[in-house]
Amino acid sequence: MKLKIAVLPGDGIGPEITQQSVKVLKAVADRFDHHFEFEEALVGAAAIDLLDSPLPEATLELCKNSDAVLFGAIGDPKYDNNPDAKVRPEQGLLKLRKELGLFANVRPVKAYDKLIPQSPLKADRIGGADMVIYRELTGGIYFGEKSTAEDGQSASDLCSYSVEEITRIAHLAFKAAQQRNKKLTLVDKANVLETSRLWRKTVTEIAKEYPQVKLDFLFVDNAAMQMILNPTQFDVILTENMFGDILSDEASVIGGSIGLLASASVGKENAMFEPIHGSYPQATGKGIANPVASILSAAMLLEHFGLTEEAEAVKKSVELSIKLNVCTIDINKDNHYTTDKVGGFLEGLISEVENISINNENLNLGQMTII
Ligand code: IPM
Ligand code: MG
């Protein structure tokens, strides 16, 4: 398959982790005989510094003319600590999502057996947790009208949703539930918010088209608690933009590290793949950032284009690296590997896999030769 992939490394650890996913995708292309073409562009603080815009026109054009976008991370503390900043890096990501029509953000969360003992949550609660969050991505309070009064004494962010916006993501979430454990939980705040009541009404109506899927509802405050108390109850979670943002960070604790959580943002015509973590400025350039979330996002890219075997190869190699403890410091505290080494190991596994039969002993051997 021929794919043109726009690479937007962005800020902080974005460039170093994205570099690893590109390595892995190149290994996939070599092994499975595909042709992936990569082209880089600026976004975020990196783009503001050079071109005064968090999403330069050339970047947007490149993304529109590519089959997929591989996104790194966005954000810089110099803007976080300045509430008066007129331009912010995050605006680049939000505009990109809107312009590309990426209305559904898909965030899978699962507990890796090996990492369960390290989780701050009790093992018997999280063992077997496996869910996917469908977060609406181009509506709600993120994109409603914003204003600050001239006297600076009040401000407003409007939250609004249309039936159409709810319907298009709801269908994707129901279809996913049909392929999984046939349970969909709508997370909202319908006891308080008008928009949430519209979500409930619309989703209840759509559920009739998916009789095999069991639909239930949770208020977001309760959902936040249930995520920690009993995460195995979830299969597919469907929710609006802001609730999805918050719940997916919370859910990352189940996976053992936020450095493992990937996401796909899809629309009618475009698709973007990005880790759910931020730019982690304190780690920039130190070689300690976990590249796995970005690499698993690349696996979601492959899946999106129907390259299932290829995506499996990437996911399998990640699972093996975790099993063998070839991990960055967030996971492997005592004997950690650098960002580049972990990426190189996964790249090596994918390229070498034909020569290495999949068993632990050989992989240990592989580990020594590849690293
Ligand atoms: C995410 C991030 C973004 C969001 C920020 C960087 C704007 O937290 O993708 O979850 O809030 O959507
Ligand atoms: Mg977030």
Side-chain angles (χ1 to χ4, degrees):
M1 183 181 275
K2 231 177 136 187
L3 286 179
K4 180 168 175 190
I5 301 171
V7 179
L8 273 49
D11 304 325
I13 58 167
E16 51 203 283
I17 52 155
T18 310
Q19 200 186 351
Q20 308 311 317
S21 331
V22 170
K23 255 162 50 178
V24 164
L25 284 172
K26 283 184 176 159
V28 168
D30 277 354
R31 180 173 148 205
F32 292 89
D33 236 358
H34 298 303
H35 183 80
F36 298 160
E37 186 192 322
F38 300 92
E39 196 173 329
E40 269 198 31
L42 287 167
V43 75
I48 300 176
D49 288 348
L50 280 167
L51 299 167
D52 288 329
S53 159
L55 181 66
E57 204 46 47
T59 302
L60 182 58
E61 272 313 296
L62 171 70
C63 294
K64 284 186 174 163
N65 297 323
S66 300
D67 297 299
V69 181
L70 190 65
F71 193 93
I74 210 155
D76 188 301
K78 70 182 174 208
Y79 299 94
D80 297 344
N81 303 330
N82 174 11
D84 291 327
K86 289 273 170 300
V87 193
R88 313 187 148 269
E90 289 80 2
Q91 290 164 346
L93 176 58
L94 298 179
K95 185 163 178 216
L96 194 56
R97 288 172 177 170
K98 194 74 170 179
E99 291 277 339
L100 298 180
L102 306 173
F103 61 83
N105 183 225
V106 184
R107 300 186 158 184
V109 179
K110 74 172 197 172
Y112 288 92
D113 287 343
K114 176 88 192 295
L115 302 181
I116 288 174
Q118 294 185 20
S119 171
L121 304 177
K122 289 212 170 82
D124 61 337
R125 302 284 170 105
I126 60 171
D130 184 350
M131 72 186 89
V132 55
I133 300 174
Y134 274 70
R135 167 190 176 194
E136 201 290 327
L137 203 59
T138 49
I141 197 166
Y142 271 59
F143 290 95
E145 201 182 308
K146 298 180 184 306
S147 63
T148 302
E150 261 179 34
D151 64 3
Q153 295 304 298
S154 65
S156 152
D157 294 280
L158 183 73
C159 180
S160 90
Y161 267 109
S162 68
V163 169
E164 192 200 336
E165 285 173 312
I166 299 167
T167 303
R168 58 190 182 182
I169 185 170
H171 280 294
L172 294 185
F174 273 108
K175 288 196 174 106
Q178 251 174 347
Q179 302 296 317
R180 294 175 47 104
N181 290 325
K182 305 190 168 37
K183 183 176 171 194
L184 190 148
T185 305
L186 175 66
V187 172
D188 62 25
K189 189 74 188 172
N191 50 346
V192 176
L193 300 177
E194 207 58 43
T195 42
S196 284
R197 289 191 274 273
L198 187 65
W199 271 84
R200 262 196 203 206
K201 218 170 122 193
T202 309
V203 170
T204 304
E205 204 46 46
I206 293 169
K208 293 179 187 155
E209 296 175 43
Y210 302 90
Q212 314 90 319
V213 177
K214 188 182 168 313
L215 170 66
D216 67 1
F217 308 98
L218 273 185
F219 295 140
V220 62
D221 46 354
N222 188 13
M225 182 173 72
Q226 296 296 330
M227 186 67 80
I228 305 295
L229 281 180
N230 179 17
T232 56
Q233 70 183 286
F234 296 118
D235 179 24
V236 175
I237 290 179
L238 169 63
T239 193
E240 61 97 71
N241 204 343
M242 173 99 115
F243 298 160
D245 178 45
I246 298 168
L247 282 180
S248 54
D249 265 32
E250 188 192 5
S252 75
V253 180
I254 296 163
S257 166
I258 197 166
L260 296 174
L261 285 207
S263 88
S265 302
V266 297
K268 266 210 189 90
E269 277 147 32
N270 298 289
M272 182 158 94
F273 301 86
E274 53 172 316
I276 85 152
H277 61 69
S279 59
Y280 194 12
Q282 311 88 304
T284 308
K286 293 189 180 153
I288 58 172
N290 192 341
V292 167
S294 177
I295 290 168
L296 288 177
S297 303
M300 291 183 87
L301 182 157
L302 296 167
E303 240 158 39
H304 179 80
F305 291 100
L307 303 176
T308 320
E309 198 189 333
E310 291 81 342
E312 273 309 306
V314 176
K315 287 195 275 186
K316 277 258 151 55
S317 58
V318 166
E319 269 162 34
L320 285 162
S321 72
I322 290 174
K323 218 165 160 183
L324 297 171
N325 229 350
V326 183
C327 298
T328 43
I329 195 164
D330 49 321
I331 292 175
N332 181 350
K333 301 270 179 288
D334 304 324
N335 185 21
H336 60 270
Y337 294 79
T338 62
T339 309
D340 192 57
K341 285 270 195 258
V342 173
F345 180 64
L346 296 171
E347 175 195 26
L349 276 184
I350 290 162
S351 322
E352 302 279 314
V353 90
E354 270 161 324
N355 309 325
I356 304 172
S357 69
I358 305 282
N359 69 44
N360 259 345
E361 208 179 302
N362 282 344
L363 275 164
N364 276 318
L365 206 87
Q367 176 186 344
M368 282 188 291
T369 52
I370 291 164
I371 287 189

